[in-house]
Amino acid sequence: MASQPISTSPLLDAVSSIALQKGTRDQFVTSISPEWCTQHSVLGGYLNALILSAAQKFNGLELGEGRFPDPIHVFVQFLHRVPPGQVVATCKHLRVSSRQCVVRVEVARTATAGKSRTHATVGIVTYADISTENGLTQHGPSAFAVPLPNRDTECVKIDDPVVDSTPVTSKLNWVSPKSTSGLWGHRVGGHHREVWVSFRDGSKISGLLHLAMLSDMPLQPAATHQAGFYAKYALSTLCMTVEFKKRPGPSTQWVMIRSDSHVVSNGRYDINVQIHDEEGDILALSNHVVYVSELQARGKKAKI
């Protein structure tokens, strides 16, 4: 029997559309569709993937295709929200060695009438070749003391309207353990959360750019402790890092995102994220700092 064709990836199509701006060697331009937005702006994880795509094209142009094929670490600082529309990514090499290179990428909203460019996001990316990495390896127990939950017997599809409330979250299937209180992902207690995700269109999670985006798609610890959270609060990421450990297999459809938070306090909290494949291997690790802001009633100064 012939194998099923692998669906094309809308994410890879979108981020790979970033192209060299005419007359430059370090600036890349693209237009971001509203389909990659959350409540109020472009998803930080999408901007992360876009930064990696721009840096990879810059490396190919300056250093030759294939010399440093994989991002192994990225730090992203979010300065301003990015609405859908045209952006420019400006790249600069900070360091190039025989094993690695480091690229700074600044993403700016394009200038409008009477206004200059607004620098919105800055990324520092380290590139290498994961397939040739070798050296000290130590295996330790997971911070989560239990195996991954069985997707068929221990989980159910998240049917909360919030997963369909934004364009980018509605792209995914969300499957998670559900507690007796009706809240999601509480199988291991506290601020530990677990969610299986896949793309509804059937496209595969086939590369590190997918992991860059999905690292920003956990069950948010603060939100899963309170019913109706998103009707009262908005979340925005201050900064995030991602370390890439392993390329996902080309036919990967589901990954497990495990997350935990140490302290949610005074409108700010941390998230530690692990992305696993179905065999339990860690594909990527991420850390975030997130702000929570109360939504205001329209036309009123009082908070709700």
Side-chain angles (χ1 to χ4, degrees):
M1 180 181 293
S3 60
Q4 291 276 357
I6 296 176
S7 300
T8 58
S9 168
L11 173 69
L12 297 185
D13 288 345
V15 297
S16 65
S17 69
I18 192 166
L20 188 66
Q21 191 165 45
K22 187 176 181 179
T24 74
R25 288 184 62 86
D26 61 351
Q27 295 182 12
F28 299 81
V29 63
T30 191
S31 185
I32 304 177
S33 165
E35 67 178 306
W36 302 106
C37 288
T38 58
Q39 290 165 292
H40 45 62
S41 58
V42 176
L43 176 74
Y46 181 85
L47 293 174
N48 189 7
L50 191 70
I51 283 170
L52 299 184
S53 182
Q56 188 69 65
K57 288 178 181 287
F58 180 63
N59 282 343
L61 183 66
E62 294 294 316
L63 305 175
E65 295 290 342
R67 181 174 174 187
F68 299 108
D70 304 303
I72 59 171
H73 185 271
V74 58
F75 167 78
V76 185
Q77 178 74 50
F78 301 99
L79 304 174
H80 300 283
R81 293 175 180 174
V82 177
Q86 193 174 76
V87 296
V88 176
T90 303
C91 302
K92 178 182 179 180
H93 279 122
L94 300 180
R95 179 174 183 266
V96 179
S97 71
S98 60
R99 295 179 59 189
Q100 300 174 352
C101 76
V102 182
V103 187
R104 184 182 69 202
V105 182
E106 296 183 359
V107 177
R109 289 178 280 177
T110 54
T112 56
K115 295 184 179 181
S116 58
R117 286 182 182 176
T118 300
H119 290 277
T121 308
V122 178
I124 307 292
V125 192
T126 302
Y127 271 88
D129 187 341
I130 287 179
S131 67
T132 64
E133 287 189 317
N134 59 75
L136 175 67
T137 299
Q138 297 176 338
H139 297 287
S142 171
F144 284 75
V146 295
L148 300 184
N150 186 288
R151 198 166 56 250
D152 298 317
T153 62
E154 297 179 86
C155 299
V156 290
K157 181 179 179 180
I158 296 181
D159 57 8
D160 191 301
V162 71
V163 301
D164 290 315
S165 64
T166 76
V168 69
T169 54
S170 65
K171 288 181 175 292
L172 299 174
N173 296 304
W174 300 74
V175 174
S176 176
K178 189 175 184 179
S179 70
T180 54
S181 66
L183 299 175
W184 298 100
H186 284 241
R187 183 178 73 117
V188 287
H191 274 317
H192 301 305
R193 296 291 173 270
E194 301 171 301
V195 61
W196 289 102
V197 296
S198 69
F199 286 102
R200 292 183 183 179
D201 61 13
S203 58
K204 306 304 180 183
I205 301 171
S206 58
L208 300 181
L209 295 182
H210 288 105
L211 303 183
M213 185 189 111
L214 293 175
S215 65
D216 200 24
M217 301 287 273
L219 290 175
Q220 296 290 343
T224 58
H225 269 79
Q226 182 175 335
F229 180 90
Y230 289 100
K232 300 177 182 178
Y233 300 96
L235 305 176
S236 58
T237 305
L238 173 66
C239 59
M240 63 185 292
T241 65
V242 185
E243 182 182 2
F244 301 95
K245 292 294 191 181
K246 179 182 176 182
R247 298 171 186 160
S251 61
T252 300
Q253 186 168 2
W254 289 90
V255 294
M256 160 58 65
I257 303 177
R258 279 181 153 175
S259 60
D260 70 276
S261 177
H262 296 288
V263 178
V264 178
S265 176
N266 296 318
R268 175 167 51 87
Y269 64 96
D270 64 293
I271 312 176
N272 302 310
V273 176
Q274 303 173 5
I275 302 180
H276 299 255
D277 62 19
E278 293 194 85
E279 285 68 46
D281 290 341
I282 291 179
L283 301 174
L285 302 170
S286 184
N287 291 281
H288 305 231
V289 177
V290 179
Y291 278 118
V292 185
S293 57
E294 292 186 66
L295 296 174
Q296 292 185 343
R298 291 184 179 179
K300 295 182 180 180
K301 292 185 179 181
K303 294 181 179 179
I304 60 172

